[in-house]
Amino acid sequence: MEYYLGIDAGGTHTRARLVTGDGEVVGTGEGGPGNTRIGMPEALQAVADAYMQALGEAGLGEEHLGSIRAGLGIAGLNRRGTLPSLREHDFPFRSIAFASDAAIANLGAHAGGDGAIVIVGTGSIGFARVGEEVYTIGGYGFPISDEGSGADLGVRAIRRSLWARDGRIPHSAMTEEVLDYFQGSAGEIVDWTARATPTDYAVFAPMVMDYATQGDPVAEAIVQGAALRLDRLIRVLLDRGAPSCCLMGGVAARMRDWLAASIRERLTEPKGDALDGAILLARTRAAEKELV
């Protein structure tokens, strides 16, 4: 039987989905973070963990790997040396095609057609395909990029909580809760930030959104600022010819209502997810590395 495997290796976790030739899902799996920033061996291990789980759920053995066509979308594909490393890796599949995690999300969202996406999760990135042109906006990594993301919300909440502690801005319920998390100690915050990851900062995002919805003045200003930055990112993609834009990612649903009305009316619901896009990649794009 013919099988296709989609893999989405992101900054927080890695997912895999195995389907038959007619699209029936027969297995799924998960692994740890797959962003190449953590290191190529670690990312590849997360990928292997995810697809082996999917294989096991489908009731297949390792001997079937050589008949599977795979599509892998991976965060950090544009990092220097990443693509050559992937091409050199001894994947066990019949064929495998590589793309960025944003590219497979866009493929899935628009079923391979023209359109844009903005992913707002731990990080953020804008991506559009218009005819033969491909545009990527942002996505340079935290802290220099990832505007409007969960990590961005978190770092701004901690910064403003320190400002409130200093007396530079008035306290709010949100700043008090953030400071309580660190036992009110600036030194504890400084030590924490020295080792904190984007995912650690993003843990604070739901709290920021909750307080903003309740009218907390500090949280509201943070979310309004994030929405303005996302508005601008979406406008750039639309101005480059994308007919519509899908907002995707863990923070997307709650951020949508904060966007400008003129932006919201151009947003559409995705037709599929990133794994659908990875499977489409496996089906339609020439293999990056043929293994038979």
Side-chain angles (χ1 to χ4, degrees):
M1 183 178 290
E2 191 172 47
Y3 293 100
Y4 293 92
L5 175 71
I7 308 166
D8 177 18
T12 303
H13 61 276
T14 299
R15 301 179 299 146
R17 182 183 298 156
L18 184 65
V19 303
T20 62
D22 60 6
E24 178 188 358
V25 178
V26 292
T28 61
E30 290 194 6
N35 193 317
T36 59
R37 177 169 47 193
I38 68 173
M40 187 59 71
E42 292 81 3
L44 289 172
Q45 185 59 56
V47 167
D49 289 344
Y51 72 66
M52 288 304 296
Q53 283 184 32
L55 195 73
E57 188 176 288
L60 303 178
E62 292 187 25
E63 67 274 14
H64 292 91
L65 287 170
S67 64
I68 293 172
R69 292 189 179 274
L72 169 61
I74 188 166
L77 184 68
N78 61 347
R79 290 178 180 275
R80 185 174 298 174
T82 294
L83 188 55
S85 294
L86 288 172
R87 286 173 170 160
E88 291 168 5
H89 184 70
D90 188 23
F91 286 99
F93 309 116
R94 180 180 180 185
S95 67
I96 185 166
F98 307 113
S100 69
D101 56 338
I104 62 167
N106 192 76
L107 280 171
H110 300 286
D114 285 0
I117 61 165
V118 170
I119 302 174
V120 194
T122 299
S124 69
I125 189 170
F127 186 96
R129 184 179 300 276
V130 182
E132 297 301 314
E133 298 296 327
V134 171
Y135 304 101
T136 302
I137 308 295
Y140 304 114
F142 184 82
I144 60 169
S145 187
D146 290 346
E147 298 84 0
S149 68
D152 188 37
L153 293 173
V155 73
R156 291 174 188 276
I158 293 171
R159 180 183 296 129
R160 281 162 175 75
S161 297
L162 285 171
W163 290 354
R165 185 182 184 277
D166 290 345
R168 289 188 270 176
I169 62 172
H171 267 297
S172 75
M174 189 208 74
T175 64
E176 294 283 6
E177 182 168 339
V178 171
L179 291 172
D180 286 346
Y181 181 88
F182 295 101
Q183 294 80 50
S185 169
E188 183 74 19
I189 293 176
V190 172
D191 288 344
W192 180 86
T193 59
R195 60 182 184 276
T197 66
T199 302
D200 293 328
Y201 282 105
V203 167
F204 291 90
M207 180 191 70
V208 177
M209 297 300 303
D210 286 344
Y211 276 113
T213 301
Q214 296 164 18
D216 181 281
V218 180
E220 193 172 55
I222 291 172
V223 175
Q224 286 172 339
L228 286 172
R229 289 184 284 276
L230 290 172
D231 278 347
R232 181 57 185 159
L233 195 159
I234 295 168
R235 288 185 194 280
V236 170
L237 295 172
L238 295 174
D239 287 347
R240 293 187 180 180
S244 64
C245 181
C246 296
L247 204 59
M248 308 175 76
V251 184
R254 300 195 67 181
M255 188 63 72
R256 184 184 183 117
D257 289 342
W258 294 83
L259 301 176
S262 60
I263 290 293
R264 293 199 305 272
E265 67 186 17
R266 298 287 299 276
L267 297 179
T268 58
E269 292 300 316
K271 297 177 180 177
D273 63 11
L275 287 174
D276 292 320
I279 291 166
L280 184 61
L281 177 71
R283 288 180 181 275
T284 61
R285 199 170 108 184
E288 294 285 356
K289 182 178 182 182
E290 193 68 37
L291 300 176
V292 294

